[in-house]
Amino acid sequence: MIRLLMILAAILLVGGGTLTRFLDSAVTAMPSKAVQPDARRPPVASGRTMTLSSGRDAHYEVTARVDGGPVDFIVDTGATLVILRESDAGRIGIRPSPADYTATVSTANGKIKAAPATLDRVELGGITVYDVKALVLPDEALWRNLLGMSFLSRLKRYEVANGRMVLEQ
């Protein structure tokens, strides 16, 4: 009886090891459908809804048309206004004079002067918002333009879930 149990145990060990190796090789050979964490998916626009995927740094990056010109942004729900770097503002025709820098803004690097501006039109896919309040900051104060709440609050909704942001007008 003990001999029969030992033979049965040996069969289970050999069979289990073989099954494990087979399953391991089968799983390795299967094509992966998982999204790589640093893979960027282009924004998906459908009518007046746009879906953005977060980048590897968990930011939502998008190119919008501001007053007819393309401008790259990070969507920032913590920014009260749309914030433009001086160089990008200049490319779309907004060139504040030194006297226009009348607003004081608190940044991670301290307080800085900014120039208030109103953007005639901000377009993102099929979404268009008119008369958007903005600030222009010196390039050294900001590494990226911010698409803030002066744009987002004018949408019907914006929602973040599972690495995606949905914007709807």
Side-chain angles (χ1 to χ4, degrees):
M1 182 73 169
I2 293 178
R3 181 178 176 160
L4 182 61
L5 285 175
M6 290 182 74
I7 292 172
L8 194 56
I11 291 172
L12 286 174
L13 279 173
V14 171
T18 303
L19 181 61
T20 301
R21 281 192 296 276
F22 171 76
L23 289 174
D24 191 36
S25 65
V27 169
T28 303
M30 291 173 63
S32 174
K33 293 186 180 190
V35 175
Q36 300 302 321
D38 60 347
R40 302 271 312 141
R41 288 188 220 160
V44 178
S46 173
R48 300 181 81 162
T49 301
M50 176 165 266
T51 302
L52 309 172
S53 295
S54 65
R56 64 178 155 222
D57 55 4
H59 290 128
Y60 295 91
E61 299 177 28
V62 67
T63 300
R65 294 194 65 76
V66 178
D67 295 346
V71 178
D72 293 329
F73 286 98
I74 289 180
V75 180
D76 187 349
T77 59
T80 305
L81 301 172
V82 170
I83 309 294
L84 293 170
R85 301 176 78 233
E86 253 177 346
S87 58
D88 291 314
R91 278 190 311 96
I92 58 170
I94 300 171
R95 295 178 185 86
S97 70
D100 293 328
Y101 286 81
T102 57
T104 302
V105 179
S106 294
T107 70
N109 297 324
K111 293 186 186 278
I112 188 137
K113 288 291 191 178
T118 299
L119 309 174
D120 292 332
R121 183 177 72 241
V122 178
E123 300 169 274
L124 194 53
I127 298 169
T128 303
V129 178
Y130 297 93
D131 299 319
V132 179
K133 298 295 180 199
L135 288 175
V136 177
L137 271 66
D139 284 356
E140 61 271 7
L142 193 65
W143 65 282
R144 295 291 299 268
N145 300 301
L146 305 177
L147 192 61
M149 292 304 295
S150 60
F151 174 83
L152 296 171
S153 68
R154 309 260 306 275
L155 301 178
K156 179 177 178 182
R157 75 179 174 108
Y158 64 93
E159 179 180 297
V160 178
N162 300 321
R164 292 212 166 81
M165 176 178 274
V166 177
L167 308 174
E168 181 181 355
Q169 186 175 41

